[in-house]
Amino acid sequence: MFKNVIVKSPGKSYLNGLTTSDLGTPNYELLLEQHAAYIEALKTCGVEITHLSESEEYPDSTFVEDAAVLTPEFAMITNPGAKSRNGEKEEIEAVLKNFYTNFHYITAPGTLDGGDVLQVDKHFYVGISERTDRKGAEQFKTIVESEGYKATIVELQEFFHLKTGIAYLGNNTVVAAGEFLDHPDFVDYEKVEIPATDEYSANCIKVNDYVIIPKGFEETKRKFAERGIETIELEMSEFQKHDGGLSCLSLRF
Ligand code: CIR
């Protein structure tokens, strides 16, 4: 069960943030509405919210997931791979001091974004991507193994971050899209298979008794309903325009 969640409001500078998509410029008002709805959904899931205010100097800092990896035993401060985002880790570390005493750090020259880390119970999967390099992934593996976890390094082929294409639901079940549908590292899991047309919905989050999914993906919604999983749907268009999904917007612990 998750007890706490950290979220951070997007500032106006979000509009100048990083993106690889050609979905257009985000609408700031709508972005704030979508962020507020995200927080409401988390409240429904029964977590306590730590809500950080916006930082105009870090346009992408609403995507708090990338600056840390959290477990019940320790907090790991990452070393985000995009130069314009690297300083985000300082604020996150300061906030996490209110919750943790046991800290680990990914250090240069290694880089790692939290979006490249999937936790499956006591086993982590860490993706090598445009943002996470091999040195960062290997540091990560050494650290988590020292804490009694297993770690598998996964080379990404197409996805932006590991969790862009895979999520864990518990009970040995993953939600998988694209390159993860038949990836050898995930063959032993039950899969909710996401078709190419609905790929964005593979980035969903299980928070206690609910799975939060992006709105507009009927097939995904149906697959969850079929399994008796209760979902909350959220409009995510303005985050999708900047390559962000549901997991990116919070640290859950
Ligand atoms: C970036 O390029 O860093 C942001 N525009 C999107 C980050 C998304 N984060 C995530 O998938 N964990």
Side-chain angles (χ1 to χ4, degrees), residues 60-87:
D60 289 288
S61 57
T62 190
F63 300 118
V64 285
E65 167 180 79
D66 291 317
V69 175
L70 304 177
T71 72
E73 301 84 14
F74 64 89
M76 187 182 313
I77 305 302
T78 68
N79 193 29
K83 230 184 182 152
S84 66
R85 301 200 55 194
N86 193 264

Side-chain angles (χ1 to χ4, degrees), residues 78-177:
T78 68
N79 193 29
K83 230 184 182 152
S84 66
R85 301 200 55 194
N86 193 264
E88 293 175 24
K89 64 189 180 196
E90 277 144 36
E91 181 189 24
I92 294 297
E93 180 179 4
V95 173
L96 288 172
K97 291 253 159 86
N98 297 319
F99 299 96
Y100 284 92
T101 51
N102 185 11
F103 280 84
H104 293 285
Y105 299 86
I106 301 296
T107 53
T111 62
L112 184 134
D113 275 15
D116 281 318
V117 173
L118 174 73
Q119 185 176 357
V120 176
D121 306 323
K122 293 290 274 187
H123 190 159
F124 281 103
Y125 293 86
V126 53
I128 295 186
S129 69
E130 291 280 312
R131 299 290 175 83
T132 298
D133 64 9
R134 183 161 292 280
K135 286 198 171 83
E138 275 165 7
Q139 283 179 33
F140 180 90
K141 183 169 159 68
T142 305
I143 292 167
V144 300
E145 285 175 353
S146 78
E147 291 279 2
Y149 286 79
K150 272 177 69 176
T152 301
I153 295 176
V154 182
E155 297 233 17
L156 301 195
Q157 305 302 322
E158 282 170 18
F159 280 123
F160 177 62
H161 277 135
L162 181 84
K163 278 194 301 238
T164 311
I166 191 159
Y168 184 55
L169 298 179
N171 294 325
N172 205 49
T173 304
V174 294
V175 180

